Amino acid sequence: MTVENQKEYSSYGDYSISDKLELFLPKTQITIEKKENCFSYYRKNSENQELRKSIPGNKEKIRIEIAPVLPLNLPAKKTNDLMFLRLLESIFVEKNSTTNILVEFPIEIGIFIVNSDETRDFFDCFTCEPMHSRFALYGTPENGKLCMYGKVKLLEESENPQPYVFAKMKVTITNKLNKGASIGKLVFPVTHHNIYYVDNTSDAHIDDIDALIKKEPAGNFIEIKHVDYSKKDKSLKTAPTTDVKGEKEKFTMEWGFD
Amino acid sequence: MAFEILDTQIMDTGITVGRLLITAIIALAGVLIGRIARVLFKKRFAPNMPIDTAKSLEKLIYYGIIIIFLLAATASQGIDLGGLVIAGGFMGIVIGFASQSVVSNLISGLFLMIEKPVRQGDNIELPDSNVSGKLIDITTFSSRIQQFDGTVVRIPNEKMFTSNIRTFALSEIRRSDVTVGIAYKENIKRAISVMKDAIEKNMVYSLMEPAPTFWVTELADNSVNIWVRVWHPRDDLAEVMPNLLVVIKDALDKEGIEIPFPQRVIWQGNSNE
């Protein structure tokens, strides 16, 4: 079976491997196999890019966890922790009002080795959509901030985003201005965000954000801050993290938001 | 016999060989402690600081300890440096004339450290000297730049201070430009669209915003020239520039858009016409 034509995808969660495991994800195929003195790891994507790794040792079996991770690792770690979401359709928020929306949030997939004490070691990371893992600048070339970038669309309450490529994120926007405002992009720090997934499925959700549109002497700003996922419950698993948490949990978009 | 030598005065200055020896031992201890302090600072504290701050503090700690020990040593042994200062004043004039460039380099180095037009660790270019690379150190008399081929160039601080310096460190991004010529028969909008799609798909370090821009700059002798400008993270020039023209040419070839080579059509006159 090739990477391209597989439709039944593997799920997020833990896998125990004693002999051989094949995982199929969009545009990606992974094989983990026990060899004489090690476990070999092989990953191939739809562009025929390959990765081979080895886990030496005489263990009878190993455990891995597949989980969504923040999109900060590919193609290389360059940004501090900022994410730039370009909304495919901009949102108009009426004056002195609050609105809630759901948007896609791009994710990468992390493979973690589960140790005997249940701690996780980061092992590999990839994206199921090679067109992701891009950069953008928020602000001017002189003093702007380099961010990871994603083009995202708004979601309906019942709509699920493309599995393994996007998670779901809730955005609460409050407009304190005395006129309506259009928002075409959201920029905020993400290392404080947790991603949650439902075990044995492809459903993923990331912590929410609150966006406050306000007027300052220098112009109209949006202040964005991290909020814990409002619908978090015990059935959700928190994905292991690969990133060091940044200093800031909130960010002020002072160079425009249209 | 040996102790008698230690009590011997040097040129009736009141300074004995023994005192001088003790002063030298204390000064040597200062050098050793300075080195230990420098190593400890480099291991414990420097990794959490900006490179230029760490290097400046490292020098301050090292030379500061040595000077303190030297002063302590001379004071404890009753060595009066006043005479040295008077002698040094006269010698200073003589040496000053002989070493103008050395002093100039020293002062320029101090100004470079205070003004910080560039910081250690920055990628810089000195267009006048045709040198570009990473500034690895600003020392007392010279600055060292590691070029991208790995070689290190030592530039006197005076030259560094008075040169035009092009730095890439103040912005998080930089731009790379190339010019692409397409044949006159081709549709310009289509060619731009093909190039734009190819860059977006294949150049992972090309920024999505600001997006690549395409300017028709010249209706040249053999081609319509299009200036392609791509923004990327500032340290990824080596990922972008070598691939940019490859990606563009492959995309234009795939779409059958001609990149013309220089050619001249010669019409031969015919007397019958």
Side-chain angles (χ1 to χ4, degrees):
Chain A
M1 201 170 302
T2 64
V3 178
E4 291 81 5
N5 62 13
Q6 170 71 31
K7 295 296 175 203
E8 297 268 324
Y9 297 131
S10 311
S11 309
Y12 293 132
D14 286 11
Y15 292 84
S16 185
I17 308 144
S18 53
D19 183 27
K20 186 177 181 180
L21 174 72
E22 285 193 315
L23 298 166
F24 295 94
L25 295 161
K27 300 180 182 176
T28 308
Q29 183 184 340
I30 294 169
T31 307
I32 303 171
E33 198 173 0
K34 183 165 172 51
K35 297 278 171 81
E36 202 170 315
N37 290 318
C38 68
F39 282 87
S40 73
Y41 176 88
Y42 171 76
R43 169 164 63 78
K44 183 182 174 186
N45 70 10
S46 60
E47 295 175 340
N48 286 328
Q49 291 167 330
E50 296 177 314
L51 175 88
R52 290 177 196 275
K53 285 188 176 186
S54 186
I55 309 163
N58 289 316
K59 283 183 180 173
E60 283 299 310
K61 61 180 182 180
I62 58 166
R63 269 173 68 204
I64 62 162
E65 180 179 359
I66 301 178
V69 294
L70 293 170
L72 297 171
N73 305 293
L74 302 169
K77 281 206 170 183
K78 295 275 171 197
T79 62
N80 297 323
D81 59 353
L82 287 175
M83 188 75 210
F84 184 133
L85 296 184
R86 167 58 70 190
L87 304 177
L88 286 172
E89 51 187 304
S90 61
I91 310 154
F92 182 80
V93 187
E94 290 177 0
K95 64 179 181 181
N96 297 314
S97 68
T98 298
T99 185
N100 288 305
I101 55 165
L102 286 170
V103 296
E104 295 174 324
F105 183 89
I107 50 170
E108 292 168 2
I109 307 298
I111 306 276
F112 296 84
I113 302 288
V114 183
N115 299 313
S116 52
D117 59 358
E118 293 298 312
T119 57
R120 266 72 172 153
D121 284 329
F122 179 62
F123 182 71
D124 186 24
C125 181
F126 56 92
T127 174
C128 292
E129 176 46 70
M131 278 302 289
H132 283 181
S133 312
R134 296 292 198 269
F135 298 102
L137 186 80
Y138 177 63
T140 60
E142 297 77 41
N143 53 12
K145 301 276 182 198
L146 189 65
C147 314
M148 294 308 295
Y149 181 84
K151 275 184 192 167
V152 297
K153 66 173 188 179
L154 306 188
L155 296 169
E156 301 290 333
E157 189 69 43
S158 58
E159 189 180 359
N160 283 321
Q162 193 182 344
Y164 305 101
V165 176
F166 292 106
K168 237 178 182 180
M169 186 171 78
K170 184 182 150 199
V171 182
T172 303
I173 306 171
T174 305
N175 183 1
K176 292 262 186 187
L177 305 177
N178 53 11
K179 61 179 181 180
S182 285
I183 299 175
K185 60 189 167 196
L186 295 164
V187 179
F188 53 96
V190 285
T191 48
H192 286 272
H193 282 64
N194 284 318
I195 303 183
Y196 310 93
Y197 68 87
V198 183
D199 214 1
N200 295 318
T201 70
S202 60
D203 294 343
H205 206 296
I206 187 165
D207 277 339
D208 308 338
I209 56 170
D210 274 1
L212 176 67
I213 310 171
K214 58 181 184 178
K215 190 173 176 61
E216 296 280 338
N220 296 336
F221 296 166
I222 299 186
E223 189 178 273
I224 297 186
K225 65 177 182 182
H226 160 252
V227 181
D228 280 346
Y229 178 36
S230 51
K231 291 182 182 170
K232 190 163 55 180
D233 62 41
K234 285 182 181 174
S235 67
L236 289 176
K237 279 185 85 171
T238 306
T241 180
T242 61
D243 304 289
V244 178
K245 291 199 188 311
E247 290 173 9
K248 292 180 181 173
E249 274 195 76
K250 61 181 182 183
F251 182 74
T252 303
M253 293 176 64
E254 55 187 277
W255 293 301
F257 43 84
D258 51 359
Chain B
M1 185 66 185
F3 291 109
E4 281 175 13
I5 293 170
L6 293 177
D7 288 333
T8 310
Q9 282 197 13
I10 301 167
M11 292 190 295
D12 294 332
T13 53
I15 302 169
T16 63
V17 173
R19 283 180 175 183
L20 206 61
L21 200 63
I22 292 170
T23 307
I25 290 168
I26 295 173
L28 199 67
V31 173
L32 280 173
I33 291 170
R35 285 191 178 180
I36 291 167
R38 186 166 69 175
V39 169
L40 284 174
F41 175 78
K42 271 168 97 170
K43 283 189 177 171
R44 293 274 175 87
F45 303 104
N48 300 322
M49 291 181 175
I51 297 171
D52 61 318
T53 311
K55 291 232 175 188
S56 300
L57 275 177
E58 187 188 315
K59 282 174 196 160
L60 191 71
I61 289 168
Y62 180 62
Y63 291 112
I65 288 174
I66 290 174
I67 288 167
I68 288 167
F69 267 75
L70 201 60
L71 290 174
T74 51
S76 69
Q77 297 307 307
I79 297 171
D80 182 13
L81 294 177
L84 285 176
V85 170
I86 294 164
F90 174 71
M91 286 299 287
I93 295 167
V94 177
I95 294 167
F97 278 111
S99 58
Q100 276 184 20
S101 63
V102 174
V103 175
S104 173
N105 281 323
L106 178 71
I107 292 170
S108 297
L110 285 174
F111 281 131
L112 281 172
M113 285 179 202
I114 294 164
E115 192 201 340
K116 291 185 178 171
V118 284
R119 290 165 188 268
Q120 288 160 48
D122 287 356
N123 283 336
I124 61 167
E125 184 182 346
L126 305 181
D128 303 340
S129 311
N130 199 21
V131 170
S132 60
K134 187 182 203 174
L135 178 65
I136 50 176
D137 206 3
I138 300 173
T139 60
T140 317
F141 299 111
S142 63
S143 301
R144 292 185 300 146
I145 296 172
Q146 184 161 38
Q147 299 199 103
F148 298 118
D149 63 1
T151 56
V152 175
V153 180
R154 177 186 169 278
I155 310 263
N157 281 340
E158 185 194 7
K159 191 171 185 182
M160 179 91 172
F161 190 65
T162 54
S163 289
N164 296 330
I165 303 175
R166 191 175 173 216
T167 176
F168 307 108
L170 296 180
S171 172
E172 293 194 29
I173 61 166
R174 61 180 292 187
R175 201 184 70 205
S176 293
D177 305 344
V178 293
T179 301
V180 179
I182 59 166
Y184 271 88
K185 66 178 183 188
E186 304 295 351
N187 182 313
I188 296 173
K189 283 184 180 168
R190 183 168 160 260
I192 288 174
S193 169
V194 167
M195 286 191 279
K196 193 173 182 182
D197 288 349
I199 290 170
E200 191 173 315
K201 185 166 181 246
N202 300 300
M203 308 277 302
V204 290
Y205 288 99
S206 162
L207 299 196
M208 301 294 278
E209 296 190 27
T213 51
F214 302 84
W215 292 9
V216 177
T217 52
E218 194 181 9
L219 299 175
D221 289 349
N222 304 291
S223 60
V224 176
N225 289 345
I226 300 170
W227 191 22
V228 183
R229 312 195 312 171
V230 173
W231 291 94
H232 54 84
R234 69 165 180 240
D235 296 328
D236 292 313
L237 183 75
E239 297 285 343
V240 174
M241 272 309 272
N243 297 324
L244 188 54
L245 280 174
V246 175
V247 166
I248 289 172
K249 185 180 179 301
D250 283 353
L252 293 177
D253 285 350
K254 199 174 168 188
E255 291 297 317
I257 296 171
E258 185 186 348
I259 301 173
F261 49 86
Q263 53 192 293
R264 177 160 295 166
V265 178
I266 300 172
W267 290 89
Q268 202 163 15
N270 188 337
S271 57
N272 294 331
E273 290 180 359

